[in-house]
Amino acid sequence: MNNCKQLTVLSILLVVYALSAFATYAFFADELAAAAGISLPDLGVSNAVLGLANAGIVLVLYGLLGLVGYWFARDLRLPGIYKQGGDWRGWFFLPLALGLACGAQLVIGDLLFAPYNGFGPMLHPGFPVSILVSLSAGIGEEILFRGFVFGLWAFLLTWLFKRFKGRSAALWIANLIAALVFGASHFMTVLGLTGAASLAELSPVLMVEILLLNGVVGLVAGQCYMKDGLVAAVGVHFWTDMVFHVGWGLAG
């Protein structure tokens, strides 16, 4: 019964992500491409078809990643999709508070690094596509980086440290690795925004900014994932992006 409830919640997250992906590409594809600093190729299909294709990819690809991540969580004796016996404090209110704090540190970091990173303040998707992007990133990236990447490394490290009874160390190292990979994944977006052909063309200060600020968000989301499950990690990520991309984007 517990597995059924967990997988039902995962399915709901996937459907929300798929609907968000469809709406983004069906109605805001050009705005999204402009915000990312790229141009969409002419595929000879309507934006609605493009949206349906992306929704299908989300359901299949992230569905598989979610199932593998859930298997890792069960093997590691972690909450999985949500903490059984938990409450709204762990599922919603704490992730909300932490997400707002993480969003604030992104805003402060943006202000501090902008004069020195060779690029200036970070760019944001226009409103209301910024809400859809925040929702998509909050669900999709947490399934990928906390569910799968963290789960894979935690599984391997737990097996490696088994004779030393180093489960806690394995989980924390896995969280750090997943956070660094999460932070580094944003380099691709920065390459598009700056027009740089490779990472070597980016300012070292800009690279430190991206890795450090996003890495902190990843660490916090990872801690919530270990304690209260994927739902909590999604909450941290979503509210972080709502502050930075929606709130700060509108303010800027």
Side-chain angles (χ1 to χ4, degrees):
M1 181 63 72
N2 179 40
N3 286 339
C4 183
K5 291 181 179 179
Q6 294 263 339
L7 294 177
T8 297
V9 175
L10 175 61
S11 298
I12 293 172
L13 290 174
L14 288 169
V15 169
V16 172
Y17 182 17
L19 290 173
S20 178
F22 169 76
T24 299
Y25 284 92
F27 304 111
F28 304 103
D30 295 333
E31 291 90 335
L32 181 64
I38 60 176
S39 58
L40 289 176
D42 185 7
L43 300 176
V45 297
S46 67
N47 285 349
V49 172
L50 187 62
L52 287 173
N54 276 274
I57 292 172
V58 163
L59 292 174
V60 175
L61 177 59
Y62 284 87
L64 291 173
L65 289 172
L67 289 174
V68 174
Y70 179 56
W71 183 87
F72 283 139
R74 288 189 60 194
D75 186 82
L76 294 163
R77 304 190 305 278
L78 294 174
I81 309 305
Y82 68 93
K83 182 178 181 180
Q84 189 74 9
D87 54 31
W88 284 100
R89 177 183 179 276
W91 297 332
F92 179 79
F93 292 108
L94 183 59
L96 169 61
L98 292 173
L100 295 178
C102 286
Q105 71 96 19
L106 288 181
V107 171
I108 294 171
D110 191 37
L111 291 171
L112 292 177
F113 279 100
Y116 311 104
N117 64 13
F119 177 71
M122 289 295 112
L123 302 179
H124 307 278
F127 184 85
V129 69
S130 55
I131 297 178
L132 296 174
V133 171
S134 298
L135 190 58
S136 295
I139 298 174
E141 292 181 4
E142 291 311 307
I143 289 175
L144 174 58
F145 294 106
R146 248 52 66 185
F148 181 75
V149 175
F150 166 85
L152 176 61
W153 279 100
F155 177 79
L156 295 174
L157 291 170
T158 299
W159 175 81
L160 186 63
F161 295 166
K162 182 167 57 176
R163 67 171 60 185
F164 307 108
K165 298 182 179 179
R167 179 177 181 273
S168 295
L171 293 178
W172 276 105
I173 294 172
N175 189 27
L176 178 60
I177 292 173
L180 290 174
V181 175
F182 169 71
S185 71
H186 292 78
F187 287 149
M188 295 304 297
T189 301
V190 175
L191 288 175
L193 291 173
T194 59
S198 68
L199 294 178
E201 297 181 14
L202 295 179
S203 162
V205 175
L206 180 59
M207 294 180 68
V208 169
E209 175 186 0
I210 298 302
L211 195 60
L212 176 63
L213 298 182
N214 287 288
V216 169
V217 177
L219 285 173
V220 174
Q223 172 62 24
C224 286
Y225 176 73
M226 289 188 285
K227 185 175 182 294
D228 292 299
L230 181 67
V231 167
V234 168
V236 170
H237 195 150
F238 172 71
W239 290 112
T240 297
D241 282 1
M242 285 293 289
V243 170
F244 188 58
H245 290 306
V246 181
W248 187 234
L250 287 172

